[in-house]
Amino acid sequence: MGEKLGQNKNFITLMTAQAISSLGDWLSIVAIITLVGLKWEATPLQMSLIILSLALPMALLGPVSGAVADRMERKTLMIVSDVVRGLLILLLTLAANVWMVYACLFTIGIFSSVFIPAKNGKLKELVKDEHIKGAMSLTSMIDSSTKVLGPLVSGILVTAIGTYNVFYIDSATFFLSAVLILFLPKTMNEGMTRKSNGKQGPSFKEEMMEGLSFIRQSSYLMYGLFLLGVSLLILQLSDSQIIILLRQLTNVSPDLFGYAVTCSGLGMLFTGIFLSKKTNYNAFLYMCLGVLGIGLGFGMMALLTNYDLAHSIIWVPGLALVAGLSAGLVFIPFQAATQEKTPVHMTGRVFGVINSTTTTATIIGPLAGGALATVIGIIPSFLVTSSLLIILFFISILFKNRVEQEDPHVTESQPGTQGAASR
């Protein structure tokens, strides 16, 4: 019997570091919005640029950051990323205007774009292939949990101790994460091995393009990434407009939006728990069912709002829970299968491309959703979103057999890469 995932101390250390820094991310976002939106009375455009400043580097630099994560030692990259982000959060306490906030957030986004593929690559180094699906489910559970707890804790802390003290706490979470990562083993990746042997490898540009080439070789990764990106883009058309939809209801509770967001996060958390107990499932089928579930959830929410159904305090969070459960079925199986199919020396580049694709969708989606809702109305825009997701489900089912006909050489694990760590 091999070592179980719960007995893998290095994996537990990595997940603990991720949980601490992810919670800190949500602490700072709520604190920044409070500072800029309430104290500085920023305009709607300035508020939009806050999220854009953080997301744009991750959308633009994903393939570049992934190549860096594969070329350099991942443990060192993660530590440097955490330390720099911790210092930048401290710098926010000295910000005198919104442009300083933009600059800090843009730089934080650059180092976050490096951290994410480095973390996924490190996870592949530390976890055996048979445990990858469980590991990715646990990673998603952490993200979902911090999404639920982070804004709640941040709101309490901002009220109790003030915005700037929350920045100090957030900075400390990054430093603590860096300390935990110090205890992880180092691993000689392919780029470092070539350098130590004096061999000339491919150029940085060539390495960056290898991530795209690897994805194109795999029918699953290619269509799975397409399905993930398109469904996320369609989802964001309406997800960013939910609070506008809820305003159409009579006697709506002021806390209803908060309940919906919380239930959505809980839904993804429950899916993560469910999938962490399963090691053998059809990832692509789960993705298709997830797309269908999101589409049905959004469609029902629009229809019930149109008829102004009573007891919205029950059915809105309930449908948000369904959407969260379904979203988990889209994201978690794809990332788990990608980890399985990608050799350890390629994980940075592959996940860099994936991160760039998903971040781009989250940037374009809300902008397009706002324009769509303005032109045709909020309820029709939700029905359009629902219809597009349901159509995408049927198209995906039609291509299911073709997608699952995988070339064997694409999914081969790279020999001698996992378990080769040293302190």
Side-chain angles (χ1 to χ4, degrees):
M1 288 287 291
E3 181 185 53
K4 294 182 180 179
L5 193 59
Q7 298 171 332
N8 187 331
K9 294 182 180 179
N10 289 323
F11 171 72
I12 298 299
T13 300
L14 180 61
M15 291 300 96
T16 303
Q18 178 192 338
I20 292 171
S21 62
S22 294
L23 183 61
D25 286 339
W26 283 102
L27 292 180
S28 63
I29 289 173
V30 175
I32 290 166
I33 291 174
T34 302
L35 174 67
V36 177
L38 296 182
K39 292 190 176 181
W40 292 356
E41 298 182 350
T43 66
L45 177 59
Q46 288 174 326
M47 292 300 296
S48 299
L49 289 176
I50 286 177
I51 303 301
L52 187 62
S53 297
L54 193 60
L56 193 59
M58 291 188 277
L60 297 177
L61 301 177
V64 178
S65 303
V68 170
D70 285 339
R71 178 174 279 237
M72 300 178 64
E73 210 288 307
R74 290 161 179 156
K75 172 182 173 180
T76 303
L77 281 176
M78 287 165 36
I79 292 172
V80 170
S81 177
D82 270 342
V83 170
V84 172
R85 288 186 293 172
L87 292 173
L88 288 166
I89 293 294
L90 285 178
L91 190 59
L92 282 174
T93 62
L94 304 176
N97 55 62
V98 73
W99 293 105
M100 287 185 65
V101 174
Y102 294 155
C104 286
L105 291 180
F106 189 85
T107 312
I108 289 171
I110 291 174
F111 283 91
S112 294
S113 75
V114 175
F115 183 90
I116 293 171
K119 186 263 294 183
N120 282 310
K122 199 66 184 176
L123 186 147
K124 179 76 171 181
E125 294 174 9
L126 300 175
V127 177
K128 295 179 180 179
D129 284 341
E130 59 265 31
H131 296 147
I132 281 293
K133 285 185 175 178
M136 292 305 295
S137 297
L138 289 170
T139 299
S140 178
M141 286 167 56
I142 290 171
D143 288 336
S144 302
S145 300
T146 53
K147 179 182 178 181
V148 173
L149 294 175
L152 175 64
V153 173
S154 182
I156 294 172
L157 290 177
V158 167
T159 303
I161 63 178
T163 302
Y164 290 110
N165 286 324
V166 172
F167 288 144
Y168 295 134
I169 294 173
D170 183 25
S171 178
T173 63
F174 282 111
F175 295 138
L176 180 55
S177 173
V179 170
L180 288 171
I181 294 170
L182 276 172
F183 292 96
L184 296 177
K186 286 187 176 182
T187 303
M188 292 286 285
N189 61 30
E190 188 183 46
M192 295 173 65
T193 303
R194 281 198 304 262
K195 186 175 180 180
S196 64
N197 294 335
K199 294 181 180 179
Q200 183 68 33
S203 67
F204 183 81
K205 182 179 179 180
E206 290 172 337
E207 285 190 352
M208 191 172 64
M209 296 305 296
E210 283 177 1
L212 292 168
S213 300
F214 181 82
I215 291 174
R216 283 199 297 265
Q217 291 176 31
S218 167
S219 57
Y220 174 83
L221 293 182
M222 192 67 184
Y223 194 83
L225 181 58
F226 170 80
L227 181 59
L228 177 67
V230 172
S231 61
L232 184 58
L233 177 63
I234 297 172
L235 169 64
Q236 289 295 322
L237 291 176
S238 292
D239 192 45
S240 59
Q241 305 295 318
I242 284 181
I243 194 166
I244 308 298
L245 179 73
L246 298 182
R247 289 208 314 239
Q248 313 304 308
L249 293 167
T250 305
N251 300 322
V252 62
S253 167
D255 300 323
L256 187 58
F257 178 70
Y259 295 149
V261 172
T262 300
C263 285
S264 174
L266 285 173
M268 290 194 70
L269 176 62
F270 293 153
T271 300
I273 294 172
F274 168 72
L275 293 178
S276 68
K277 300 176 190 253
K278 297 175 70 70
T279 57
N280 186 22
Y281 56 80
N282 188 317
F284 189 78
L285 178 60
Y286 275 19
M287 288 183 70
C288 295
L289 293 175
V291 170
L292 177 63
I294 298 171
L296 292 175
F298 274 16
M300 287 298 298
M301 193 174 292
L303 288 173
L304 296 181
T305 300
N306 182 60
Y307 290 107
D308 201 12
L309 188 69
H311 308 298
S312 59
I313 198 70
I314 297 174
W315 59 262
V316 168
L319 290 174
L321 181 68
V322 171
L325 290 166
S326 302
L329 289 177
V330 177
F331 301 131
I332 300 172
F334 176 74
Q335 293 191 340
T338 302
Q339 280 280 22
E340 278 188 320
K341 295 174 183 295
T342 307
V344 67
H345 71 283
M346 292 283 293
T347 48
R349 280 162 283 184
V350 171
F351 275 95
V353 173
I354 293 171
N355 187 47
S356 179
T357 302
T358 55
T359 306
T360 300
T362 58
I363 292 174
I364 296 175
L367 298 175
L372 181 66
T374 301
V375 172
I376 67 174
I378 187 64
I379 291 178
S381 71
F382 265 74
L383 293 175
V384 167
T385 299
S386 172
S387 301
L388 289 174
L389 288 168
I390 293 171
I391 291 170
L392 184 61
F393 161 75
F394 284 112
I395 293 173
S396 302
I397 288 296
L398 288 176
F399 282 90
K400 178 176 175 291
N401 291 335
R402 182 177 177 181
V403 169
E404 291 174 346
Q405 290 175 356
E406 187 69 74
D407 292 331
H409 74 277
V410 176
T411 59
E412 286 178 349
S413 293
Q414 189 74 1
T417 48
Q418 288 170 292
S422 61
R423 293 208 179 262

